[in-house]
Amino acid sequence: MKLNAIVLAMTTALAALALTGCGDDGDTGAAGPAGQDGSTGENGRDYTAVNQWFVEGQATVSQASQRSVSDPAGKAKNVILFVGDGMGISTLTAARIYQGQQQGHSGEENRLSFETFPYSGLVKTYSANQQTPDSAPTMTAIVTGVKTKDGIIGIDDQAIRGNCASGQNQSVLSALQLAELAGMSTGVVSTARLTHATPAATYAHAVERNWEADSNMPQAAIDAGCTDIAAQLIDFPYGDGIEVALGGGRTYFMANGTTDPENGSNGRRNDGRDLTSEWTSKYSDSAYVWNREQFLAVDTRNVKHLLGLFENSHMQYEADRQDDVAGEPSLAEMTSRALDMLKQNDKGYFLMVEAGRIDHAHHAGNAARALQDTVALSEAVRVAMEKADDDTLILVTADHSHVFTIAGYPVRGNPILGLVRGVDDNGSASTTYSTDSNGMPYTTLGYANGPGFGFGNDPINSDSYRPDLNLYNVTDVNFRQEATVPMDSETHAGEDVAVYARGPGAQLVTGSVEQNMLFHVMNYAADLVNRAEANQQ
Amino acid sequence: MPRNLFLVGALALWCGHASAADFCPTVADSQNFGLQYQLQGAQQGNLQLLRSHAQTAYYNPDNGVGEWWDFKQASHPNFYRVFSQQQRRIDYYTGDLRTLNIHVSQTEIESFAANNLRQQLTLVGDGACADSQRYQGDYQGVHYELLWSNSLQLPLSLSTRRNDRTQQWQATAVLSGEQVTQQLQQWQQFTDTDYADIGDNETDPFLAQMINQGFVEHSEHAVYNSQGQPLQGAHQH
Ligand SMILES: [Zn+2]
């Protein structure tokens, strides 16, 4: 009996699978059936002119061959960095198929918005002290050019996690901080708490990623002069301050004893500071908003410093956003309005946008939410592709991967969240599901570890020691995929992640690179250090 | 994974006969009180139900583990698990509960998971306590006898018999509104972690235990382990 057995009534539905159409959509996204006549050349026609795979592959090479780019340093006026937290390559593949199937296609041929970028590479994510990292050292590497130890944000690997004194004088500057020093406008957007490791690495320095409010810090660290991450966002000393900060984590900015307007929870600041009102008093022409309606009402032409905190902790998953109590903007909406504000600066801008909850859904072993949040990131990137001018370097990457996998030999167009249905002798969809060695069906998506191990007291075929997935609605958004090793939280994975680039300097993103190299790409493309120095004269 | 647990099934282990010596609680404020239950029969244990308006908690005083629901926003309940010995709390937001495929009924939580069951049984007459009624009947192979308090909307006694195995939950004491308020306030002060953040905190020994040994998810209701046995210690794995 599970923890919730006493109070829960749960429904089970038979998995209902419906194969979607299997037509190819092709690289260009144009819908159309696969070329058939002459596709093999056997009937005397030239397949190289009609076979879709051949023609489109040829066109891609033809386009690439016309590129001989060697953009000079500083050609990029602006930089937009997108990070999918925990968005490993299997997540990209599954999300691409998921989005394509949502649009009524077979899915495999779909491309997420950034998969159309001309340059990409593989990124080695290990941290200074761990083969498989967390978000703190990885995002530090991406935005400062320096790998550090797990749990540490914006401080080099001489520091010891949680030891305030060890991090003194070891801080490293981020691309966002350099951009502020250069007189550019800057923005931080995340669906996680703004104080969470990934967004924090753009503006804060902390030897412990959990020091998000002062109540999360040991008194000794406060006495030694360390400050919490939320306070660092408001006290940010570089340039004229961050222009746009949008995300979750409201209670980390609220004094203990004050009550969250949406959730009713208590503020987390023992120092009594109300950081949201400090934001509006620190900056003239500033605004603080905490729900979607207020956010959409902001006059982006006149508001110069915007703080939006849309949840007391992390923002909702995209799957749950529509029924949020107070209403939350989407990642694409936040990206769009951030760009409206940042674009007004003639000196350019730096914007970081994080899809912060792909990671959390994976940790919970819930693939559907991870895929939906990945699609939401793709939509945010699409907005940036439309709004950003040609003098903008756009990078899309992940901080680390997850032990998430795409298994079996499903037929083309098989629902990505569904049970594996293979192909028959004719290469067409099989009439029955593929099965394991005990005759039990299995899903395409799964995890190497996590909470999806076993099913507690749920229906289990005792011969196979696996649940009978015929009894589950495996495509339900709340379905938790199976895991091989039992853990209550699924773990990160250590393999490389991808990086995609377009715009000035994008040609530098190629091959297999260290994660900290991405800062140097941005620095070269936008000449951040030199612009910062020049702006101090 | 969606779990195929049905409320009534969960009660199937509560076997036994109605006690002759019924305990009749007196509660000053039916929105702010606690009730202590004792489990008798083949298994023994204690469980406190704490009620403060839209908040309901179940707490096992023997191992210090509690589960705490807040229905202030009924469609978006907050859920907390508390661990008194470690002074720690795990917070589950609506999205977290959904990723865990947990669907909860406020009525069932507030009724010691007996309201639904009551509707499956037959009313057989008034109980010994004022404002109480006796129900009985068979459901899915289990014989139930329920003494139900109309004013508290809670069982005062709930016994079950399956084959020759009997057990009984018996209300034995009332906790005052102040005791309940104090307990909830104490839990509010515990070091809290979002469920969503557990995976990124593998170096925290308490949370690492959860990551690696299934403390949260594979842990049971404060009363039971996976075999329906009452929990004796903090960690049953
Ligand atoms: Zn993580």
Side-chain angles (χ1 to χ4, degrees):
Chain A
M1 201 172 301
K2 295 288 206 161
L3 69 98
N4 31 40
I6 197 171
V7 291
L8 302 180
M10 300 189 179
T11 55
T12 309
L14 289 176
L17 281 186
L19 289 180
T20 56
C22 301
D24 306 322
D25 287 342
D27 237 0
T28 59
Q36 290 182 359
D37 283 343
S39 63
T40 62
E42 283 176 4
N43 60 7
R45 292 171 63 178
D46 179 8
Y47 72 92
T48 63
V50 293
N51 182 286
Q52 176 195 345
W53 306 109
F54 194 95
V55 169
E56 288 175 359
Q58 190 172 46
T60 303
V61 169
S62 168
Q63 282 169 15
S65 68
Q66 287 159 25
R67 282 181 220 127
S68 65
V69 180
S70 58
D71 291 329
K75 192 175 175 195
K77 179 177 162 192
N78 318 301
V79 177
I80 308 176
L81 169 64
F82 286 94
V83 179
D85 198 319
M87 186 177 69
I89 288 174
S90 54
T91 302
L92 293 173
T93 305
R96 161 209 306 159
I97 296 171
Y98 177 82
Q99 185 190 45
Q101 294 183 341
Q102 293 296 110
Q103 294 166 351
H105 308 300
S106 71
E108 297 83 2
E109 67 296 329
N110 182 48
R111 292 201 290 180
L112 298 169
S113 62
F114 47 87
E115 291 183 303
T116 63
F117 286 11
Y119 296 95
S120 63
L122 291 171
V123 181
K124 297 157 70 179
T125 65
Y126 69 94
S127 71
N129 68 334
Q130 287 192 200
Q131 205 166 60
T132 299
D134 75 89
S135 301
T138 51
M139 189 59 175
T140 298
I142 293 168
V143 295
T144 72
V146 172
K147 286 206 184 203
T148 189
K149 293 174 184 157
D150 267 54
I152 294 179
I153 290 169
I155 297 176
D156 72 21
D157 63 358
Q158 297 303 301
I160 299 162
R161 180 171 186 173
N163 181 326
C164 174
S166 74
Q168 309 274 6
N169 305 315
Q170 302 298 137
S171 291
V172 286
L173 273 180
S174 76
L176 181 144
Q177 291 163 334
L178 287 166
E180 274 297 334
L181 289 170
M184 300 160 71
S185 287
T186 60
V188 187
V189 173
S190 177
T191 49
R193 294 188 296 266
L194 271 182
T195 50
H196 207 236
T198 303
T202 66
Y203 64 83
H205 309 277
V207 290
E208 171 55 65
R209 58 176 284 169
N210 286 314
W211 290 356
E212 296 182 52
D214 62 343
S215 63
N216 303 120
M217 299 176 66
Q219 188 59 42
I222 296 172
D223 293 343
C226 281
T227 54
D228 65 272
I229 292 167
Q232 291 186 51
L233 177 65
I234 306 302
D235 297 335
F236 188 84
Y238 304 94
D240 64 351
I242 295 169
E243 275 72 17
V244 185
L246 304 171
R250 209 158 44 218
T251 49
Y252 295 77
F253 295 77
M254 291 162 35
N256 188 357
T258 55
T259 302
D260 185 80
E262 181 182 16
N263 177 277
S265 51
N266 191 23
R268 293 172 178 273
R269 302 206 60 80
N270 287 341
D271 60 11
R273 291 174 68 181
D274 172 0
L275 295 181
T276 62
S277 68
E278 287 191 28
W279 174 276
T280 49
S281 54
K282 175 177 180 177
Y283 301 116
S284 55
D285 303 321
S286 60
Y288 164 63
V289 296
W290 62 269
N291 60 51
R292 182 169 181 269
E293 195 180 348
Q294 293 174 345
F295 173 69
L296 294 179
V298 168
D299 177 359
T300 53
R301 296 171 71 85
N302 292 313
V303 170
K304 301 302 178 198
H305 292 270
L306 175 61
L307 175 63
L309 298 170
F310 302 107
E311 270 296 328
N312 62 329
S313 184
H314 302 298
M315 289 176 69
Q316 302 285 357
Y317 291 107
E318 178 60 23
D320 307 312
R321 190 170 60 80
Q322 290 303 334
D323 75 351
D324 179 52
V325 174
E328 291 180 6
S330 68
L331 194 62
E333 288 173 332
M334 293 195 287
T335 303
S336 174
R337 295 181 74 78
L339 286 171
D340 290 344
M341 289 180 60
L342 299 178
K343 282 177 73 173
Q344 296 171 38
N345 187 336
D346 293 338
K347 290 185 172 174
Y349 60 84
F350 174 90
L351 172 63
M352 193 290 294
V353 177
E354 184 204 23
R357 306 216 65 195
I358 299 167
D359 180 64
H360 295 153
H362 277 325
H363 279 307
N366 180 214
R369 279 186 173 75
L371 301 188
Q372 291 188 22
D373 272 33
T374 304
V375 170
L377 175 68
S378 173
E379 290 307 303
V381 175
R382 186 186 306 284
V383 165
M385 291 163 69
E386 288 163 3
K387 285 209 166 184
D389 297 317
D390 291 343
D391 52 3
T392 306
L393 170 67
I394 304 180
L395 294 184
V396 181
T397 189
D399 47 0
H400 56 75
S401 184
H402 273 268
V403 294
F404 176 59
T405 193
I406 302 173
Y409 301 98
V411 64
R412 179 90 186 267
N414 198 51
I416 188 66
L417 293 171
L419 297 169
V420 172
R421 185 190 295 273
V423 298
D424 61 18
D425 291 345
N426 299 320
S428 304
S430 174
T431 53
T432 55
Y433 294 130
S434 304
T435 55
D436 69 7
S437 49
N438 290 304
M440 305 290 287
Y442 55 94
T443 54
T444 305
L445 302 180
Y447 294 92
N449 61 43
F453 175 84
F455 283 51
N457 281 2
D458 288 356
I460 290 184
N461 180 319
S462 57
D463 295 330
S464 75
Y465 302 102
R466 287 187 53 236
D468 183 354
L469 294 185
N470 285 304
L471 303 177
Y472 293 83
N473 181 4
V474 297
T475 59
D476 187 86
V477 67
N478 296 326
F479 181 76
R480 190 188 305 166
Q481 276 66 26
E482 275 183 279
T484 310
V485 176
M487 289 191 181
D488 257 347
S489 192
E490 178 265 8
T491 69
H492 298 173
E495 82 273 6
D496 298 350
V497 296
V499 55
Y500 300 84
R502 81 166 210 180
Q507 79 279 0
L508 299 168
V509 172
T510 181
S512 177
V513 302
E514 294 287 355
Q515 199 158 34
N516 53 305
M517 187 271 224
L518 299 182
F519 165 83
H520 299 284
V521 170
M522 295 187 285
N523 186 39
Y524 176 88
D527 205 21
L528 294 171
V529 168
N530 289 329
R531 281 160 79 180
E533 283 176 357
N535 198 47
Q536 307 309 305
Q537 311 300 314
Chain B
M1 290 291 177
R3 278 156 292 176
N4 187 27
L5 300 173
F6 293 94
L7 174 69
V8 173
L11 295 169
L13 295 147
W14 302 355
C15 305
H17 290 286
S19 165
D22 289 315
F23 167 74
C24 298
T26 313
V27 168
D29 178 357
S30 68
Q31 293 299 305
N32 196 24
F33 70 99
L35 215 49
Q36 169 120 2
Y37 288 92
Q38 190 173 34
L39 177 63
Q40 297 158 334
Q43 298 158 2
Q44 280 94 41
N46 292 291
L47 183 68
Q48 294 174 352
L49 179 149
L50 310 180
R51 176 79 193 280
S52 179
H53 302 278
Q55 301 180 75
T56 299
Y58 292 87
Y59 180 65
N60 181 344
D62 301 331
N63 65 12
V65 176
E67 297 184 351
W68 177 17
W69 292 91
D70 185 346
F71 292 99
K72 225 173 280 147
Q73 288 161 345
S75 62
H76 292 73
N78 286 332
F79 175 59
Y80 314 95
R81 304 197 75 223
V82 295
F83 302 86
S84 294
Q85 286 162 14
Q86 296 91 348
Q87 310 250 310
R88 296 288 293 260
R89 198 179 79 231
I90 308 295
D91 297 359
Y92 297 72
Y93 292 93
T94 306
D96 299 324
L97 294 175
R98 289 176 182 169
T99 65
L100 295 171
N101 210 3
I102 291 175
H103 307 280
V104 71
S105 153
Q106 182 174 0
T107 316
E108 291 303 301
I109 297 278
E110 293 181 348
S111 68
F112 203 76
N115 189 56
N116 213 14
L117 171 68
R118 186 169 62 99
Q119 289 160 29
Q120 314 296 324
L121 306 179
T122 307
L123 176 63
V124 292
D126 288 341
C129 299
D131 202 29
S132 70
Q133 290 172 319
R134 291 185 297 122
Y135 293 83
Q136 66 179 37
D138 295 286
Y139 187 73
Q140 295 190 339
V142 181
H143 179 73
Y144 293 91
E145 295 196 12
L146 169 66
L147 178 62
W148 178 259
S149 164
N150 281 322
S151 53
L152 299 180
Q153 291 288 296
L154 280 169
L156 300 176
S157 167
L158 175 64
S159 61
T160 58
R161 188 178 71 239
R162 187 207 291 267
N163 300 325
D164 55 353
R165 184 184 159 92
T166 63
Q167 277 198 209
Q168 181 181 14
W169 284 100
Q170 174 68 51
T172 55
V174 170
L175 304 174
S176 72
E178 294 86 80
Q179 279 175 294
V180 170
T181 306
Q182 232 169 43
Q183 181 72 279
L184 298 183
Q185 277 173 355
Q186 194 191 348
W187 292 346
Q188 189 65 53
Q189 303 304 317
F190 284 0
T191 299
D192 62 318
T193 305
D194 277 18
Y195 171 75
D197 290 321
I198 291 177
D200 292 329
N201 281 286
E202 78 284 355
T203 55
D204 179 319
F206 173 74
L207 298 176
Q209 192 180 27
M210 293 184 141
I211 295 171
N212 296 323
Q213 298 182 29
F215 197 74
V216 177
E217 258 315 285
H218 296 210
S219 171
E220 317 311 332
H221 183 277
V223 199
Y224 290 119
N225 65 16
S226 58
Q227 280 76 48
Q229 317 283 339
L231 294 185
Q232 303 297 330
H235 196 224
Q236 291 291 311
H237 298 276

